[in-house]
Amino acid sequence: MSESDIPSAYVREKRSPAPSREELRARIPGWGVDLDPADRPSNPKLLHAPDTGARWDFPERQPEHRPRERSIEHAFVTPVFGTAQPLKGASGAIRRLAYARFSEGRLAHWMLLVVGDRVDAVEHHLRSFATLRPDVPATGVRTELTHGGLASRRGRVDARHHVLDPLVVGGPWLVAAGAAVVGVRRLVRAARR
Amino acid sequence: MRAMVYRGPYKIRVEEKDVPAIEHPNDAIIRVTLAAICGSDLHLYHGLMPDTRVGHTFGHEFIGVVHEVGPSVQNLQVGDRVMVPFNIYCGSCWFCARGLYSNCHNVNANATAVGGIYGYSHTTGGYDGGQAEYVRVPFADVGPAKIPDWMSDEDAVLLTDATSTGYFGAQLGDIAEGDTVVVFGAGPVGLVAAQSSWLMGAGRVIVVDHLDYRLEKAREFAHAETLNFAEYDDVVVELKKQTDFLGADVAIECVGAEADGNLLQHVAGAKLKMQGGSPVALNWAIDGVRKGATISVMGAYGPIPNAVKFGDALNKGLTLRMNQAPVKRQWPRLFEHIRNGYLKPSDMVTHRFPLEEIPEAYHVFSSKLDGCIKPLIVPSAA
């Protein structure tokens, strides 16, 4: 390798400088219009915002009609908060424990919330079986037929793990169904004795 | 009203829900006329975000018409056509006062590590989102803005997150004139980040993905070079070769927690949820840039730890910059760029689904069927 072939990383300057401003402007609409870092909208980082529309120093508090969970890293429940899906059931108890006992810095906080999510889903699935609209393992899958499921995946690297999807999605349902069948059989046998 | 409802991982449906009510004097109720599904919604859909409750309505990209306002609202009137940033923020806390609208401290009781976001689990505050006919919008005098008459609905809805986030990602890259910028991910955020890199003076822009149809879009829409990582044994080595063994000057990571490219990481993180998602793209960014480079992270990650190659970042002297985009701070400049034709977000829209078919929309987008890049949702009351 001659000295002129030595790559840029090993010498003082880049071997291939960037194209000229003129060339880039001719090729790319708007090239360089935000060239000046000091004139970009998020600069400086801690800009004192001019007028956000807020006419308060601390906002009026939203009424708290029922005790609301909060991160223990907060001094209080924030003045405005979401009221969607309040805590209830076994999942609610798990989530309440996560918020009341562990800060966001503790892995236990997040793992309990994940467990709460799974329990929440199971609670609702079970309840849905008593309705005319039972839950299914996955929704929207008819688009595999209407939107080119096979053709869209041809040659893609992620097709390797797509084959796992039915297992990941349907596996827990099969296990639950199997456990239910075994349980019912045992109950029936016990009743016959 | 009709609303998208989460039923558990991989399961959503449309249900009848109550029209939201004014709960605070500065609330507004917006009748949604157009919404979008964001790539980050897929993390919720796949069950990756802690405290995603059954019954939750997703959707943080939406525009609409003001249906009702609280008694203290002064800047909006019933009937106004408005766009709503995905950030919920008060405009007055320590963070908002410094322009960090995505880090507001007054709107998310559930966590201090993240601000408020519409329809993005209780970890971001427990607000139902805009994939519905109506949505509650807190701090109506602060977040929403009237849509300029000349702006299309498609451009407006894409400014509520994807376009603003892509542009913000390029800003956090601290791009200097002539820099080589590598963008990981050719979804909507990555495409805008690539376009915006040129506006900030990049000399070369390379977009990395594995989906050919998206890479084609990156070439045509963002004038970028492209690299299909599936064609190489080691994409990091390829990036080094393509940059004369230096590595890129800037990387913008626009993939997030469900990255492909490493089967073990993807299955362990995204499928089996043994870590907070798959950090493959972030690790490629760390290894694919030159020493002393800047990495801007726009891909969404949850609060659970990831196996990130922090030692490489340290030893290479990298600057890692990241945040959720403070959307409204970007808008005046982005309005100019759209008006001047430098950015055309609506060109990324590939699909429109009625709200009643939102389970199909999620599956198509999630599985990347039918050349899907950006699906929009049209509520029946629109």
Side-chain angles (χ1 to χ4, degrees), chain A residues 78-145:
Chain A
T78 50
V80 165
F81 51 85
T83 53
Q85 300 87 43
L87 298 176
K88 62 178 179 184
S91 58
I94 296 167
R95 286 164 170 152
R96 194 170 288 115
L97 173 67
Y99 283 106
R101 174 71 184 80
F102 299 105
S103 78
E104 297 159 60
R106 305 275 291 275
L107 188 59
H109 174 83
W110 301 110
M111 298 320 291
L112 277 172
L113 289 177
V114 170
V115 171
D117 289 352
R118 302 299 169 254
V119 171
D120 188 13
V122 170
E123 286 174 327
H124 281 84
H125 296 335
L126 291 176
R127 216 169 293 147
S128 79
F129 295 145
T131 70
L132 294 174
R133 209 177 173 192
D135 283 329
V136 292
T139 54
V141 288
R142 74 179 173 90
T143 54
E144 291 291 332
L145 299 175

Side-chain angles (χ1 to χ4, degrees), chain B residues 92-155:
Chain B
S92 64
C93 68
W94 195 94
F95 304 94
C96 287
R98 285 155 184 80
L100 299 174
Y101 306 148
S102 54
N103 307 108
C104 177
H105 215 60
N106 271 334
V107 293
N108 182 1
N110 295 72
T112 58
V114 58
I117 302 176
Y118 294 95
Y120 208 75
S121 83
H122 277 65
T123 293
T124 69
Y127 298 89
D128 272 337
Q131 289 165 7
E133 290 183 314
Y134 294 88
V135 60
R136 172 196 171 204
V137 171
F139 294 114
D141 280 337
V142 179
K146 291 175 197 166
I147 301 173
D149 290 338
W150 53 266
M151 189 180 284
S152 71
D153 281 358
E154 286 79 5
D155 281 340

Side-chain angles (χ1 to χ4, degrees), chain A residues 34 41, chain B residues 83 150-151 155 158-168 171 192 196 199-200 326-345:
Chain A
D34 291 326
Chain B
M83 51 205 288
W150 53 266
M151 189 180 284
D155 281 340
L158 291 179
L159 277 165
T160 61
D161 181 358
T163 303
S164 304
T165 297
Y167 182 78
F168 180 65
Q171 281 183 85
V192 175
S196 305
L199 305 184
M200 293 172 206
V327 168
K328 205 171 179 182
R329 200 165 156 173
Q330 325 298 317
W331 277 355
R333 185 67 55 89
L334 289 172
F335 287 10
E336 280 177 38
H337 289 340
I338 289 173
R339 201 156 200 186
N340 289 328
Y342 302 150
L343 297 174
K344 184 109 181 71

Side-chain angles (χ1 to χ4, degrees), chain B residues 12-30:
Chain B
I12 60 169
R13 67 189 193 192
V14 179
E15 279 182 10
E16 201 63 29
K17 272 186 156 185
D18 291 339
V19 173
I22 299 285
E23 301 192 47
H24 179 274
N26 211 248
D27 279 358
I29 306 301
I30 305 293

Side-chain angles (χ1 to χ4, degrees), chain B residues 337-370:
Chain B
H337 289 340
I338 289 173
R339 201 156 200 186
N340 289 328
Y342 302 150
L343 297 174
K344 184 109 181 71
S346 54
D347 279 356
M348 298 186 293
V349 174
T350 52
H351 291 71
R352 292 171 79 98
F353 290 90
L355 178 61
E356 294 297 324
E357 290 179 20
I358 200 167
E360 285 71 30
Y362 266 86
H363 188 80
V364 167
F365 189 40
S366 165
S367 301
K368 289 148 185 98
L369 306 183
D370 198 28

